[in-house]
Amino acid sequence: MKNSKNQVNRRNALKTLSLGSTAGILGFFGSSDTRASTPKSHAPTPSYTIGVQVKITKVRAIITAPYGTNLVIVKVETDQGGLYGLGCATFTQRAHTVVSAIEEYLDPFCKGKNVSNIEDIWQTAYQSSYWRNGPVLNNALSGLDQALWDIKGKMAGMPVYDLLGGKVRFAIDTYTHASGKSISEVIDNVAKYKEEGFRNIRIQLGGYGSTHLATDPDWKRAGFGSQGDQTIDPQAYKRGTVEMFKKVREKFGDDIELLHDMHERLQPMDAIDMIKKVEEYRPFFIEDPFSPENMGWFNMLREHTSVPIAMGELLNNPHEWLEPMKNRQYDYIRIHISQIGGITPAMKVARLGEWFNVRTAWHGPGDTSPVGHAANAHIDYAIWNFGVQEAARVIRTPEDKVLEVFPGMPTVTNGYMSVNEKPGLGIDINEKLAKKYPPVVYNYNWTQLRGEDGTPIRP
């Protein structure tokens, strides 16, 4: 009896010591002047810092369009007052379907789960639908995953990049978009962005595929298709792009890096031909030369040119990038973090790339929300094989209303993206203001592209 009592006393003492050590460690991480908002003596200690499990009480979607693009934000609420996380689940083309997946399926699935078990929640949610790897379900899962990492950072009193291993770089090198309907207009925009400090600039002659170079198509005269559909003239696009690279390189020399997005607009042999022709102008990379249906052409492309290739924004199944990365078929993995399911799988992709010298260039367009850009940035800080980060206008030069809806969003200065040092992802959402910008009707013309005879052209 006496021995049993002594054992209980020893266990209690060890438990007290353990809790004290945990509190001390958490106090250490929270004591930095850049992270502590109030003196330690005045801030109540949250119960989750002393070993209490934090449970999910609600997973819900917030849909808003402060700059005319439908953004879907996931908010994960907990049983600890004021503790919540945000994630990006934006799939503009199917925004309302993603909202349904979040609120009708992920919410009841996640209620009562321990927010700390991110990997377990990801794995079980991923297979909960049995059929998986589709963009709708992956986007919903991505929003949940990012929100859980946001919560974990807040619980630890650390930015998410610290949880991922800490910074490997002081800031995140980005590229921006310089386009124009004429080459002279492209050159003017390149000069402007170079003056702003950007070292990497994507150049596009008009929209994807230079559709403005195709005039009076036969299918329109025949009354086929829809009025807003666009047309591509593959040879005009190829000629215009090669000439654009030539003129821009002549104007700026090798002082800047030039990128270009083909957006899967050409047939494989035309794509290979164009990439070979721009090789002498030393592109930093050419993005998405082939559609996902044409991945088998990469071996031929590699045999014919040394131009670096970036690929992947349409990929959402791990098997779509596993073999190509292993076989070094491209140089930059350019997947969309919401397409693949969030920070958890993105870190695995980055680590995979490290073994095969494939660098990251996460997709960061305007239809990634500011929350999604923050998630990109935290990963970018922490991974060794980072390449470059796309920085859309919403991050480069955000409007005041966007800053008000998303306080704490990343910033870009001198071409470098930075995040604040707040715990978690460092970004919030003003739900009251978000309601002022309801979802808009999606314009499908952006994806509707036809050949001269009216044949639909993928992506």
Side-chain angles (χ1 to χ4, degrees):
M1 184 70 178
K2 185 176 180 180
N3 288 340
S4 176
K5 186 175 181 180
N6 288 339
Q7 290 173 354
V8 170
N9 289 337
R10 281 197 297 272
R11 282 199 299 269
N12 288 338
L14 288 170
K15 183 177 180 182
T16 302
L17 180 61
S18 174
L19 292 177
S21 299
T22 302
I25 292 170
L26 289 168
F28 173 78
F29 283 121
S31 64
S32 171
D33 291 340
T34 61
R35 298 178 187 175
S37 58
T38 57
K40 185 178 177 182
S41 59
H42 295 167
T45 302
S47 60
Y48 52 78
T49 66
I50 54 175
V52 172
Q53 285 192 3
V54 178
K55 300 296 181 65
I56 297 172
T57 57
K58 187 74 176 174
V59 178
R60 59 188 179 89
I62 303 165
I63 185 168
T64 184
Y67 53 94
T69 298
N70 291 331
L71 308 174
V72 180
I73 308 301
V74 171
K75 186 171 187 178
V76 174
E77 300 172 353
T78 73
D79 59 2
Q80 303 296 310
L83 179 63
Y84 60 86
L86 300 177
C88 178
T90 299
F91 180 13
T92 304
Q93 292 84 353
R94 297 292 185 270
H96 297 283
T97 312
V98 174
V99 170
S100 177
I102 293 163
E103 298 191 338
E104 294 182 36
Y105 298 99
L106 286 184
D107 175 45
F109 179 82
C110 290
K111 278 183 180 176
K113 293 185 183 296
N114 183 345
V115 296
S116 293
N117 297 336
I118 297 177
E119 182 72 24
D120 184 72
I121 292 174
W122 194 96
Q123 294 292 346
T124 55
Y126 174 71
Q127 64 185 11
S128 66
S129 58
Y130 184 57
W131 282 281
R132 44 205 183 255
N133 290 317
V136 171
L137 297 181
N138 277 7
N139 271 272
L141 178 56
S142 178
L144 169 66
D145 180 79
Q146 292 174 32
L148 292 176
W149 278 102
D150 189 26
I151 291 172
K152 188 175 283 286
K154 291 174 180 176
M155 290 173 65
M158 302 165 69
V160 167
Y161 67 73
D162 269 341
L163 298 178
L164 301 178
K167 289 184 178 179
V168 185
R169 51 197 52 84
F170 81 93
I172 299 152
D173 204 6
T174 67
Y175 72 86
T176 190
H177 307 161
S179 62
K181 290 190 174 181
S182 67
I183 293 176
S184 62
E185 190 176 344
V186 173
I187 288 174
D188 289 343
N189 283 322
V190 170
K192 179 181 70 171
Y193 293 129
K194 186 174 183 291
E195 183 67 23
E196 291 178 11
F198 285 94
R199 292 154 296 282
N200 316 289
I201 301 174
R202 193 184 81 178
I203 53 175
Q204 306 284 147
L205 186 58
Y208 299 124
S210 300
T211 55
H212 68 293
L213 299 180
T215 58
D216 196 23
D218 292 337
W219 66 263
K220 277 195 175 183
R221 292 203 305 272
F224 190 74
S226 300
Q227 186 61 35
D229 294 351
Q230 301 179 17
T231 309
I232 183 171
D233 180 336
Q235 301 311 315
Y237 166 47
K238 288 164 59 180
R239 290 192 301 270
T241 300
V242 174
E243 184 67 12
M244 174 185 64
F245 264 96
K246 179 175 183 287
K247 295 297 185 183
V248 173
R249 195 52 92 189
E250 287 175 351
K251 175 70 175 178
F252 297 100
D254 285 327
D255 288 346
I256 57 174
E257 299 290 351
L258 301 178
L259 303 78
H260 178 72
D261 184 2
M262 295 182 68
H263 224 260
E264 311 96 7
R265 297 290 169 115
L266 293 177
Q267 288 298 310
M269 292 305 292
D270 277 330
I272 294 171
D273 180 51
M274 192 183 88
I275 294 171
K276 287 170 59 179
K277 289 176 178 175
V278 300
E279 181 173 342
E280 65 178 296
Y281 307 114
R282 198 183 58 75
F284 181 84
F285 67 55
I286 297 296
E287 177 188 343
D288 286 351
F290 306 134
S291 68
E293 296 86 355
N294 285 311
M295 298 290 283
W297 291 84
F298 268 106
N299 286 337
M300 182 179 291
L301 175 63
R302 283 305 213 192
E303 290 171 359
H304 284 83
T305 177
S306 62
V307 171
I309 300 298
M311 186 69 192
E313 73 180 63
L314 285 178
L315 308 181
N316 56 48
N317 183 324
H319 300 287
E320 292 178 289
W321 61 74
L322 176 60
E323 288 298 314
M325 288 177 71
K326 184 192 75 171
N327 294 327
R328 298 169 176 86
Q329 290 179 334
Y330 35 76
D331 306 271
Y332 296 86
I333 180 66
R334 194 167 149 64
I335 47 184
H336 189 80
I337 302 304
S338 295
Q339 264 276 71
I340 65 166
I343 294 172
T344 296
M347 287 299 296
K348 295 174 183 179
V349 174
R351 300 307 188 208
L352 174 69
E354 184 173 338
W355 288 102
F356 300 109
N357 199 30
V358 175
R359 289 179 283 177
T360 65
W362 308 131
H363 195 214
D367 54 0
T368 292
S369 76
V371 177
H373 286 286
N376 284 348
H378 280 270
I379 301 171
D380 293 336
Y381 270 125
I383 55 176
W384 173 79
N385 55 318
F386 165 76
V388 71
Q389 177 61 59
E390 181 178 18
R393 185 174 63 86
V394 65
I395 294 297
R396 253 181 18 246
T397 55
E399 300 175 70
D400 288 343
K401 59 184 178 181
V402 179
L403 294 169
E404 291 168 355
V405 173
F406 294 102
M409 57 191 288
T411 56
V412 176
T413 305
N414 196 34
Y416 285 106
M417 184 187 294
S418 301
V419 300
N420 57 56
E421 299 298 312
K422 294 179 181 178
L425 293 175
I427 189 169
D428 208 342
I429 187 168
N430 185 321
E431 294 192 58
K432 184 177 180 180
L433 287 179
K435 290 179 181 177
K436 292 175 58 177
Y437 308 103
V440 298
V441 176
Y442 179 69
N443 179 6
Y444 284 95
N445 291 344
W446 180 79
T447 59
Q448 303 306 293
L449 184 68
R450 296 181 181 276
E452 184 70 21
D453 65 354
T455 301
I457 305 296
R458 289 173 177 166

